[in-house]
Amino acid sequence: MKYCINLLLGCILSIHAMAQHSSVSGTVKDKTTGEPLPGAVISFNGKKSLAGNDGRFLINLNSPASSQTLIISRIGYKSDTTTYEGSHITILLEASSQTLTDVVVTGTMKAVSKTASPVPVEVYTPQFFRRNPTPTIFDALQQVNGVRPQLNCNVCNTGDIHINGLEGPYTMVLIDGMPIVSALGSVYGLSGIPNSLVDRIEVVKGPASSLYGSEAIGGLINVITKNPLKAPLLSADVMATSWKEYNFDLGLKYKPWKKTTGLLGVNYFLFNNRIDKNHDQFTDVTQQNRIAIFNKYNFERQQNRQASLAVRYVYEDRWGGDTRWTKPFRGGDSLYAESIYTSRIELIGNYQLPTTEKLLFSGSFNSHIQRSAYGNNIFNASQQVAFGQLTWDKSLGSHDLLAGAVFRYTAYDDNTTATRDTLTGRNKPQHTPLPGIFLQDEISIADKQKLLLGARWDHHPVHGHIFTPRIAWKWNPTNDDVIRINAGTGFRVVNIFTEDHAALTGARDVLIPEELEPERSYNVNLNYVKKLYTKFFWVNFDASAWYTHFTNRIIPDYTTNTEQIIYRNLTGYSVSKGVSLNTEFGFTNGLKGHIGGTFQDVSIVSKNAGIKTTSRQMLTEKWSANWSLSYTFKKGEWTIDYTGNMYGPMDLPLLSEEDPRKPTSPVWSIQNIQVTKKLPHSIEVYCGIKNLLNWTPAKGNPFIIARSHDPFDKLVAKDANGVIQKVGVNGDPNPYRLTFDPNYVFAPNQGIRAFVGLRWTITGDKL
């Protein structure tokens, strides 16, 4: 009898175990945002299942389970294991540091999920840029679709960032959300930021003046530095190239006081090798000696209130020109060079007030001092910008409010007519206070829809009241589809001598025949994001179409008089329109990458006596493409990266109809390859080749710099009417009637080169 009872109980328990494990179910979610994670792979007892669009999964078993452990994996997330105990479970996966982060702040000034943001924001981590390592963020942005680092001078190699075909002054550059990169120091603001301290870079394409004010008329680039609490203890990156460029990057976390964590970063770049491969007796790449020091503190406070303070100092000695030039020739007319000394300091901080309401004060200050010599033309300038902002963040039912009061004060002085009193001729520095207020309301109008309404008011001491509204709508028809429509306005106050390098070189005379008014624009942007997940790969599609109408733009006129650059208000209007597609993908076999393309048309419509004339904007490509492909081998911890970009034709500034240089650029491409090997103790060794095709703009052109042998035009002869002669002083030939001109530039002059580097990272709290 006892035997029969035990046998019966055993059968019941076996049947119960089989029933208990006849199926396994659960939901996979993002650990940070709580959002469902479709496409996750769940392994249990030899069987696999794929999570659906709602993150749910179900595994049916034909026999009792022999294991209680589930293994969960998803591309872009750290794999995890958990114990199944017979009930529906929720699995939280943590995002991998190798993927693009899903939290953004730039679009709405609030930390939100990238998917939940009504404003499309592109996010790039240092891992993305490591596929083609560069010494500066300025160079690294060439990997971003629709963003192009534009060199503005063949001699000093300064430049700016173009977004969707609009020049650098239309792009606002932020560090930790603070607009500290002023017009005078735009290129320097993106140089010398230690890459080891960068957490991510967020890019917003299109006007954002309703939140960020002037200069945000074309887009935003927000460089967000690491939180010292989450940073590695030590990170170092050393790289050298066959052109004898050397870059050193160091990050160190330390704890100077109780409840205070510091993060120190140092970047040093040196290039002191005079190379002239196009044989024009001018350096192909500027000589640079730059050091940057960055220090950031995070303070621990009650109730996790925010408090941080950061400081950055940058010093650079940069010059390019005649390969025989030395510093005793600086500012003279014997040997030509463009020599620029830059000293820059920046302060950034925020402090959350100890109140029941969420009030955050953020502030920044930067001082930029520049001492330049463009041949014998001396340009000395200084600019100080102080910025303060108080925001109130409040949720009321379906309304998520953000209100703010801002004040920006700019002091600017230089030795040009920009700061000269026209009546007395005395120096008159500019002092520009710019107060403003803004209000933003993000409304949840349905489970899958959001409406964003925003407006900003600024008061300029010269141009008066400036009002910039915007509206945005977001709809998620499914968990894998996002549709966004954004519309808004932008404005920008122009300062020629801080923004346009061509106005400073002295190669042409600058003419400003009228008072320049602010530039204003109206923009609409449509964005669609689609995510696809399978057992073997995932794909993200991000497509956008935009249209921007400018009622006024200040566009340099190079063609009316070939010896002048004329700046005046636009008599018609300007239009920027286009479409772009960005595709990211990854396979379970180790292959991942992205492919992007942009087609754009930036045109100027001029009106003269009732007649409209349409022309393309100079130095703006019709189309561009970029890509990156990475493959990680399963054995040996090897990774190979292949990156590149390609640009369509753009109109170029010629001196005259006789100028033999090409009026439009050819289709050109720069491609790179890199191999990385991971070693024990968190060490990585990498090497590769940049510019595999050895492409430079000198190909197909008789010369790049016009009359580089006569940079001060001492040998140019003119007749009584000012017409340049074909035979100059002492019989010097001038068959094309040209003067010295270094502004014919659309691509880097640097050819093929090899590089090698080493990275080392130590995590933890103590060495």
Side-chain angles (χ1 to χ4, degrees):
M1 185 67 179
K2 182 177 179 181
Y3 174 79
C4 293
I5 293 174
N6 290 337
L7 181 62
L8 180 62
L9 288 175
C11 292
I12 292 173
L13 290 173
S14 298
I15 294 172
H16 178 70
M18 290 177 65
Q20 187 180 37
H21 294 94
S22 62
S23 65
V24 177
S25 65
T27 304
V28 184
K29 295 183 177 181
D30 185 289
K31 186 176 182 179
T32 303
T33 65
E35 294 184 351
L37 291 179
V41 178
I42 301 91
S43 302
F44 181 75
N45 204 41
K47 286 198 169 187
K48 292 185 178 181
S49 177
L50 193 69
N53 289 337
D54 56 358
R56 292 176 175 268
F57 67 90
L58 176 67
I59 301 178
N60 292 314
L61 300 176
N62 298 325
S63 60
S66 60
S67 169
Q68 299 287 332
T69 303
L70 284 85
I71 302 174
I72 308 95
S73 60
R74 185 180 186 271
I75 295 177
Y77 286 80
K78 296 179 180 179
S79 298
D80 195 10
T81 59
T82 188
T83 301
Y84 183 72
E85 298 179 351
S87 59
H88 187 90
I89 60 174
T90 299
I91 301 165
L92 302 177
L93 288 186
E94 183 179 352
S96 170
S97 61
Q98 299 297 319
T99 66
L100 300 186
T101 181
D102 200 42
V103 177
V104 298
V105 298
T106 305
T108 59
M109 280 192 185
K110 303 172 76 168
V112 297
S113 163
K114 179 182 175 183
T115 304
S117 173
V119 179
V121 182
E122 299 176 16
V123 188
Y124 301 93
T125 62
Q127 286 76 19
F128 175 83
F129 296 115
R130 282 180 182 174
R131 298 173 186 175
N132 178 31
T134 58
T136 68
I137 293 176
F138 175 83
D139 297 319
L141 288 171
Q142 65 184 289
Q143 298 183 60
V144 178
N145 184 28
V147 176
R148 181 168 68 88
Q150 166 66 38
L151 292 177
N152 294 327
C153 176
N154 270 309
V155 180
C156 68
N157 288 166
T158 56
D160 53 37
I161 300 296
H162 289 204
I163 293 182
N164 288 345
L166 296 177
E167 297 97 329
Y170 298 91
T171 300
M172 173 172 277
V173 179
L174 312 169
I175 298 181
D176 288 337
M178 291 290 98
I180 64 170
V181 180
S182 56
L184 179 62
S186 58
V187 66
Y188 307 100
L190 288 171
S191 300
I193 300 176
N195 293 330
S196 60
L197 301 189
V198 176
D199 180 69
R200 64 187 187 273
I201 296 176
E202 299 182 0
V203 179
V204 176
K205 299 173 182 177
S209 294
S210 62
L211 271 187
Y212 294 95
S214 180
E215 297 177 21
I217 195 170
L220 291 170
I221 296 174
N222 191 3
V223 181
I224 299 175
T225 59
K226 291 179 179 178
N227 184 336
L229 295 173
K230 300 179 181 180
L233 180 63
L234 175 69
S235 58
D237 192 338
V238 181
M239 185 177 75
T241 75
S242 58
W243 279 43
K244 298 182 180 180
E245 300 164 290
Y246 304 101
N247 186 71
F248 174 75
D249 202 81
L250 175 69
L252 175 66
K253 179 170 71 173
Y254 63 103
K255 204 168 183 67
W257 310 286
K258 187 178 181 181
K259 294 186 177 182
T260 302
T261 305
L263 185 60
L264 174 67
V266 178
N267 174 258
Y268 180 68
F269 178 77
L270 176 66
F271 177 61
N272 194 27
N273 188 22
R274 306 185 187 199
I275 296 178
D276 177 24
K277 290 185 178 291
N278 57 13
H279 308 296
D280 60 2
Q281 205 168 295
F282 271 54
T283 54
D284 292 343
V285 180
T286 55
Q287 314 297 286
Q288 298 174 55
N289 190 354
R290 180 180 63 248
I291 185 168
I293 302 174
F294 184 95
N295 198 45
K296 182 177 183 179
Y297 293 112
N298 262 45
F299 305 96
E300 299 177 35
R301 300 177 60 205
Q302 293 181 352
Q303 300 179 6
N304 292 322
R305 291 192 177 99
Q306 299 180 42
S308 66
L309 179 65
V311 59
R312 181 171 75 124
Y313 176 74
V314 181
Y315 177 80
E316 183 181 65
D317 178 0
R318 168 194 294 252
W319 77 269
D322 194 306
T323 55
R324 300 167 297 173
W325 185 87
T326 57
K327 288 189 176 181
F329 292 101
R330 190 177 193 270
D333 63 355
S334 298
L335 296 177
Y336 186 92
E338 297 182 4
S339 170
I340 304 170
Y341 301 140
T342 302
S343 180
R344 180 180 179 86
I345 189 168
E346 304 163 349
L347 294 172
I348 311 168
N350 64 58
Y351 181 81
Q352 186 177 344
L353 275 61
T355 59
T356 55
E357 296 293 332
K358 190 174 181 180
L359 297 172
L360 180 67
F361 176 79
S362 303
S364 67
F365 171 81
N366 74 78
S367 176
H368 184 99
I369 299 175
Q370 185 170 316
R371 298 291 178 260
S372 311
Y374 300 93
N376 58 355
N377 182 25
I378 303 299
F379 175 72
N380 295 328
S382 64
Q383 185 173 47
Q384 290 78 39
V385 180
F387 178 85
Q389 174 177 278
L390 180 65
T391 58
W392 174 57
D393 189 350
K394 183 72 174 180
S395 295
L396 296 172
S398 61
H399 297 264
D400 197 355
L401 299 172
L402 182 71
V406 300
F407 184 80
R408 182 173 179 172
Y409 182 84
T410 304
Y412 176 76
D413 189 18
D414 67 21
N415 62 329
T416 72
T417 56
T419 57
R420 189 175 304 154
D421 191 306
T422 56
L423 296 178
T424 64
R426 296 179 179 177
N427 187 48
K428 186 180 179 181
Q430 297 175 355
H431 298 276
T432 309
L434 191 63
I437 56 174
F438 62 85
L439 177 64
Q440 174 182 276
D441 185 9
E442 187 175 322
I443 310 167
S444 298
I445 57 178
D447 290 340
K448 296 185 177 182
Q449 296 187 54
K450 286 187 178 181
L451 179 67
L452 179 71
L453 303 174
R456 176 172 174 138
W457 168 87
D458 292 272
H459 183 268
H460 193 276
V462 176
H463 304 293
H465 303 286
I466 302 173
F467 180 67
T468 49
R470 79 165 169 176
I471 183 173
W473 174 72
K474 182 187 74 73
W475 177 39
N476 292 76
T478 71
N479 289 330
D480 297 324
D481 298 86
V482 183
I483 299 174
R484 298 180 177 94
I485 298 178
N486 281 256
T489 62
F491 81 96
R492 187 176 77 91
V493 179
V494 179
N495 190 332
I496 296 298
F497 290 94
T498 66
E499 299 167 358
D500 194 345
H501 173 269
L504 302 173
T505 60
R508 299 191 186 198
D509 294 329
V510 175
L511 181 62
I512 307 175
E514 59 191 11
E515 183 178 349
L516 302 179
E517 297 294 329
E519 297 184 330
R520 297 179 182 270
S521 72
Y522 301 88
N523 170 272
V524 62
N525 181 292
L526 174 64
N527 175 252
Y528 173 63
V529 176
K530 174 67 177 178
K531 301 178 181 179
L532 296 174
Y533 299 94
T534 73
K535 291 183 179 181
F536 307 105
F537 68 89
W538 59 268
V539 182
N540 289 346
F541 297 98
D542 191 329
S544 293
W546 74 90
Y547 181 91
T548 304
H549 180 93
F550 290 86
T551 58
N552 184 42
R553 283 190 68 191
I554 311 302
I555 301 172
D557 178 2
Y558 291 91
T559 58
T560 299
N561 187 326
T562 58
E563 295 186 46
Q564 294 179 337
I565 307 175
I566 304 172
Y567 298 92
R568 56 165 59 95
N569 297 303
L570 190 62
T571 57
Y573 60 90
S574 177
V575 171
S576 171
K577 56 187 177 182
V579 295
S580 67
L581 175 64
N582 206 50
T583 304
E584 296 176 81
F585 55 87
F587 292 83
T588 55
N589 65 359
L591 177 66
K592 61 182 178 181
H594 90 278
I595 300 174
T598 297
F599 296 86
Q600 61 193 13
D601 179 18
V602 184
S603 58
I604 300 100
V605 180
S606 302
K607 296 180 181 178
N608 189 6
I611 300 176
K612 292 184 178 181
T613 303
T614 303
S615 60
R616 286 182 58 206
Q617 177 179 284
M618 282 194 177
L619 296 171
T620 303
E621 66 277 12
K622 291 182 179 180
W623 58 267
S624 64
N626 58 21
W627 63 87
S628 68
L629 297 173
S630 300
Y631 183 78
T632 301
F633 295 89
K634 294 181 180 180
K635 294 183 179 180
E637 297 287 339
W638 290 91
T639 300
I640 185 168
D641 300 290
Y642 170 53
T643 61
N645 47 52
M646 185 177 294
Y647 299 101
M650 62 183 77
D651 291 344
L652 304 174
L654 299 181
L655 291 180
S656 69
E657 293 182 355
E658 297 177 274
D659 194 329
R661 295 175 293 184
K662 293 182 178 180
T664 59
S665 65
V667 175
W668 56 281
S669 174
I670 293 181
Q671 302 174 27
N672 321 282
I673 194 165
Q674 173 186 247
V675 176
T676 304
K677 168 66 174 177
K678 289 187 177 181
L679 301 174
H681 309 295
S682 299
I683 296 175
E684 289 184 358
V685 178
Y686 59 93
C687 62
I689 299 175
K690 291 180 179 291
N691 198 354
L692 282 166
L693 304 180
N694 195 26
W695 190 91
T696 64
K699 293 186 177 181
N701 270 312
F703 51 82
I704 297 297
I705 300 176
R707 292 186 63 82
S708 60
H709 72 285
D710 184 25
F712 300 100
D713 294 334
K714 294 180 179 180
L715 302 179
V716 174
K718 300 180 181 179
D719 64 13
N721 297 319
V723 177
I724 299 175
Q725 302 300 294
K726 290 189 175 184
V727 178
V729 177
N730 298 328
D732 183 72
N734 193 359
Y736 308 114
R737 306 178 192 269
L738 304 179
T739 57
F740 173 69
D741 176 35
N743 295 315
Y744 181 92
V745 57
F746 59 94
N749 281 324
Q750 199 167 15
I752 188 171
R753 59 203 181 279
F755 67 93
V756 62
L758 181 144
R759 300 187 189 99
W760 183 35
T761 303
I762 300 178
T763 58
D765 296 322
K766 295 181 179 180
L767 285 172

